[in-house]
């Protein structure tokens, strides 16, 4: 049975009070499934809006939550690629580092709405790794492209994100085809598994020294309680990045129930 990574991107769906309340409910709910036997080990990371990072981190550390099979961490949705300086409105890695373990890099909304470029994302990845945090590099092709074009697009995103970076800690790639994010149209499992294999092959071919055990691959895009175990069962997938289904307590509970009742993931 593999360890699974359940990463929840809360975007700016909730205000601070709602985030704290949902997080407390999630912790209480997970306490009650404290002794599940069958399912896989779960690494759960919540990525709240940046303004809630500190309070969620404090709630987490004060919760005395202890479970050998379930680890709960807090992550950050975005940082600036410079450590400090004159960058009005940005968030520095120094200000979030005490409160989180992971940082998303290049989510498609960052790339498409805010125009982030591969070169900037390489700088962010480097900064995150140099500060001992875990980067989750989000990649994914646009809608309606051919298989060849999709692969070329992904190759460019993969190679540019980690070019000239020494990877000796864990790095996560989140494969999120743009047409599946927030649309309700999750990508077919066969396609997800073959794209995840393509990501691994691209890494091996271009970074011969890379230790694939340090690379984890998540799928993201309209994951919910109905389809989650299909993705977690795929041979090349280690976890999922969940958006809207992770900000509603009942939906989140159904997701966790599905995972812990599955003995063969
Ligand atoms: P979704 O979002 O689960 O709402 O499709 C996924 C994401 O944006 O990472």
């Amino acid at each position: 049975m593999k360890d699974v990574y359940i990463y929840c991107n809360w975007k700016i769906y909730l205000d601070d009070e709602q985030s704290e309340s949902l997080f407390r409910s999630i912790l209480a709910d997970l306490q009650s499934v404290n002794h599940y036997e069958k399912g896989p080990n779960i690494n759960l990371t919540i990525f709240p809006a940046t303004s809630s990072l500190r309070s969620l981190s404090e709630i987490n550390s004060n919760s005395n939550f202890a479970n050998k099979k379930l680890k709960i961490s807090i992550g950050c949705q975005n940082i600036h690629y410079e450590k400090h300086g004159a960058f009005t409105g940005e968030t520095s890695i120094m200000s979030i580092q005490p409160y989180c373990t992971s940082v998303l890099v290049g989510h498609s909304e960052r790339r498409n709405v805010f125009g982030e470029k591969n070169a900037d994302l390489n700088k962010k990845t480097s900064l995150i790794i140099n500060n001992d945090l875990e980067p989750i590099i989000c990649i994914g092709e646009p809608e309606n492209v051919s298989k060849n074009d999709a692969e070329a697009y992904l190759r460019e995103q993969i190679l540019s994100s980690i070019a000239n970076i020494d990877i000796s800690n864990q790095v996560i790639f989140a494969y999120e085809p743009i047409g599946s994010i927030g649309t309700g149209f999750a990508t077919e499992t066969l396609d997800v598994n073959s794209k995840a294999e393509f990501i691994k092959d691209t890494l091996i071919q271009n970074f011969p020294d890379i230790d694939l055990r340090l690379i984890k691959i998540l799928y993201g895009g309209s994951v919910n309680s109905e389809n989650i175990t299909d993705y977690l069962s795929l041979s090349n997938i280690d976890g999922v990045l969940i958006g809207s289904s992770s900000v509603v307590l009942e939906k989140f509970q159904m997701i966790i129930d599905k995972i812990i009742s599955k003995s063969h993931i």
Side-chain angles (χ1 to χ4, degrees), residues 23 26-36 42 44 59-73:
F23 189 54
I26 285 176
L27 286 172
D29 182 54
L30 294 176
Q31 287 288 3
S32 67
V33 294
N34 214 356
H35 298 298
Y36 70 95
I42 300 177
L44 172 69
I59 293 170
N60 197 26
S61 354
N62 295 333
S63 71
N64 296 323
F65 185 85
N67 183 330
K68 272 195 286 188
K69 296 187 71 166
L70 217 162
K71 189 165 146 251
I72 303 174
S73 311

Side-chain angles (χ1 to χ4, degrees), residues 9 11 107 109 176 180-182 221-223 241-244:
N9 179 6
K11 310 191 184 189
H107 185 278
E109 286 144 21
E176 301 199 292
S180 290
I181 298 179
S222 301
V223 173
L241 182 56
I242 313 174
S244 56

